[in-house]
Amino acid sequence: MTPPSYRVWALPGLPEVRPGDDIAKLIAATEPGLVDGDVLLVTSKIVSKAERRLVEAGDREEAIDAETVRVVARRGALRIVENRQGLVMAAAGVDASNTPAGTVLLLPEDPDASAVRIRDGLRDTLGVEVGVVITDTFGRPWRTGLTDVAIGAAGVRVLDDLRGGVDAHGNPLSATVVATADELAAAGDLVKGKAAGLPVAVVRGLAHLVGEPTEAAVGARALVRTAADDMFRLGTSEAVREAVTQRRTVRAFTDEPVDPGAVRRAVAAAVTAPAPHHTTPWRFVLLESEESRTRLLDAMRDAWIADLRRDGKSEESIAKRVRRGDVLRNAPYLAVPCMVMDGSHHYGDERRDTAEREMFVVATGAGVQNFLVAVAGERLGSAWVSSTMFCRDVVREVLELPANWDPMGAVAIGHAAEPPRERPARDAGAFIEAR
């Protein structure tokens, strides 16, 4: 049996690509000798030039801003961002090298569509069925150096899903999905080089990876990990700011259970907040069973209804107000943050004693904010509700808490049933008074 092998070579003879050029016709004009099953690896820069993605820009930073959807990390002038194509990469893929002064080159607007056009053009011109991969250079987390990856593809199996099979020893494969298109892109980069003026490479011998779109793949977009599956979406110190700004109040949850370990990790973040006199004023009561949540919420509801009736509210008004508490009742997990003032100072002076309590309240709030942000970092939704503060004695009695534990609201936790609403933009300057 002949062992598997393939051949890869750079395609010579391509002219300088200009705006409006047909990449497929330029390739065909070199008489490349393509056969069915070949894969062409095309550097994104020549595709961008042909598609008139050379744009005027006052400076590269302005162009990066315009192409950025989300900043993932920043160090000095270097930015790792998610761009309009959904790719996470340095500088949004904006290239200022080998372009006229005052211009930059952007990535193709739709690299998968670009690959389709090249593939269709080669079929029409040369009568061959080939795969096409549009490549660009990426850095990688935890790895030094650059490599080419696929940002667009047509007629190529971009992912080879081996899950459900077995290895040579019969062990089941449960997580193995091979990024075939990226492997092809890297192989092509070995012969194209970064400065050799050879923007296209050909791979022959892997025809089993080539086929019609219904058989092969839907394009390189399938290589981009979704936000829900991205374990490192909020990974760096810069991303902590992203977690803070992206935290939202979630009022509708799915039935999916909450991992208690995730909540405990959030508590670990909460208790790193600052506090006066080296104290630890935070306590978190975690209601993990439906029975404990129902018992607390029923008692709180009864106390609230009694208060509203004493205030002379109508039954209709009472029912409406009670429904506002449904966010707690519908959540699969509740946490009740409490404040304790162990270690506080007593001055015997009302003004100073009031300030002392306020310091502990602020510290507890800082802990709750840490908790909410950490919950968001665990990909969970939450809603802080103040209701336990209005019936502290009831909460202490039901939860059998010490008399010096002051409940400071309750946090509903769960998996969001729908994407949270966009928060209206706020001008930070409106909240600042500089002196």
Side-chain angles (χ1 to χ4, degrees):
M1 180 178 176
T2 304
S5 65
Y6 67 91
R7 178 184 169 215
V8 58
W9 69 94
L11 191 65
L14 276 173
E16 179 71 21
V17 175
R18 302 187 183 283
D21 279 348
D22 186 321
I23 298 292
K25 289 182 178 179
L26 292 181
I27 293 172
T30 68
E31 299 183 358
L34 298 176
V35 300
D36 290 350
D38 284 348
V39 179
L40 273 83
L41 310 166
V42 183
T43 302
S44 62
K45 178 172 284 191
I46 67 168
V47 179
S48 294
K49 288 181 177 180
E51 295 181 356
R52 296 183 172 87
R53 296 287 282 166
L54 187 71
V55 299
E56 293 185 1
D59 60 41
R60 186 174 180 235
E61 296 304 310
E62 290 181 8
I64 294 171
D65 289 341
E67 291 298 299
T68 295
V69 173
R70 176 175 64 93
V71 176
V72 176
R74 182 193 301 267
R75 180 171 294 172
L78 176 62
R79 279 184 282 174
I80 307 298
V81 306
E82 179 184 346
N83 67 10
R84 295 180 183 276
Q85 291 82 3
L87 303 169
V88 176
M89 59 191 308
V94 174
D95 193 347
S97 62
N98 298 313
T99 63
T103 65
V104 295
L105 194 63
L106 310 181
L107 289 177
E109 192 168 2
D110 185 344
D112 283 331
S114 302
V116 169
R117 284 191 291 270
I118 295 171
R119 182 174 190 257
D120 290 348
L122 291 170
R123 180 195 294 120
D124 294 342
T125 306
L126 300 178
V128 291
E129 294 292 342
V130 297
V132 174
V133 175
I134 309 295
T135 71
D136 198 65
T137 303
F138 269 54
R140 298 147 302 150
W142 307 292
R143 303 287 288 181
T144 297
L146 305 171
T147 187
D148 267 21
V149 302
I151 66 167
V156 176
R157 186 185 304 144
V158 298
L159 292 167
D160 193 4
D161 192 346
L162 303 179
R163 291 173 296 183
V166 296
D167 63 17
H169 298 280
N171 299 311
L173 299 173
S174 59
T176 305
V177 181
V178 179
T180 308
D182 282 349
E183 293 182 326
L184 289 166
D189 191 44
L190 291 173
V191 295
K192 288 188 299 179
K194 300 298 181 192
L198 297 169
V200 178
V202 181
V203 174
R204 179 168 295 166
L206 300 175
H208 63 285
L209 299 178
V210 178
E212 290 300 322
T214 53
E215 300 171 1
V218 293
R221 182 73 188 186
L223 292 160
V224 178
R225 196 182 299 276
T226 63
D229 293 332
D230 187 354
M231 293 176 63
F232 307 103
R233 190 172 179 85
L234 302 176
T236 67
S237 59
E238 293 87 353
V240 171
R241 288 192 295 274
E242 178 83 357
V244 172
T245 58
Q246 291 302 310
R247 186 207 62 77
R248 296 286 192 279
T249 295
V250 174
R251 298 188 179 280
F253 303 95
T254 70
D255 294 332
E256 184 178 352
V258 170
D259 174 16
V263 181
R264 283 163 170 75
R265 290 190 292 273
V267 171
V271 300
T272 64
H277 314 314
H278 306 288
T279 57
T280 55
W282 322 278
R283 302 292 187 270
F284 287 83
V285 184
L286 306 183
L287 305 185
E288 298 178 333
S289 71
E290 183 176 358
E291 187 276 331
S292 64
R293 295 191 298 274
T294 300
R295 187 158 48 88
L296 174 64
L297 295 176
D298 284 352
M300 289 172 57
R301 179 198 58 204
D302 294 344
W304 195 8
I305 289 173
D307 280 347
L308 292 170
R309 284 175 177 162
R310 279 195 296 270
D311 292 341
K313 302 295 183 184
S314 69
E315 292 303 312
E316 181 181 358
S317 173
I318 291 172
K320 183 177 180 180
R321 291 167 185 263
V322 168
R323 281 197 298 272
R324 294 175 185 170
D326 285 349
V327 63
L328 295 179
R329 195 170 291 274
N330 295 335
Y333 197 109
L334 291 182
V336 178
C338 297
M339 178 183 74
V340 300
M341 293 189 62
D342 295 349
S344 63
H345 296 172
H346 179 63
Y347 298 97
D349 174 270
E350 182 178 356
R351 177 181 60 85
R352 297 173 70 187
D353 285 341
T354 298
E356 182 79 0
R357 178 175 174 81
E358 288 175 345
M359 286 196 302
F360 276 75
V361 170
V362 169
T364 303
V368 172
Q369 172 71 351
N370 276 13
F371 180 74
L372 295 174
V373 171
V375 165
E378 295 283 349
R379 317 306 294 166
L380 293 167
S382 67
W384 177 80
V385 180
S386 61
S387 54
T388 67
M389 301 171 68
F390 293 89
C391 53
R392 284 178 170 142
D393 289 340
V394 171
V395 176
R396 280 191 286 258
E397 180 181 355
V398 172
L399 298 182
E400 300 179 352
L401 303 180
N404 66 331
W405 286 32
D406 280 346
M408 303 295 282
V411 180
I413 302 171
H415 297 270
E418 56 190 23
R421 297 176 182 176
E422 285 297 318
R423 180 187 290 123
R426 293 174 180 168
D427 177 13
F431 302 89
I432 297 172
E433 288 291 335
R435 296 289 188 267

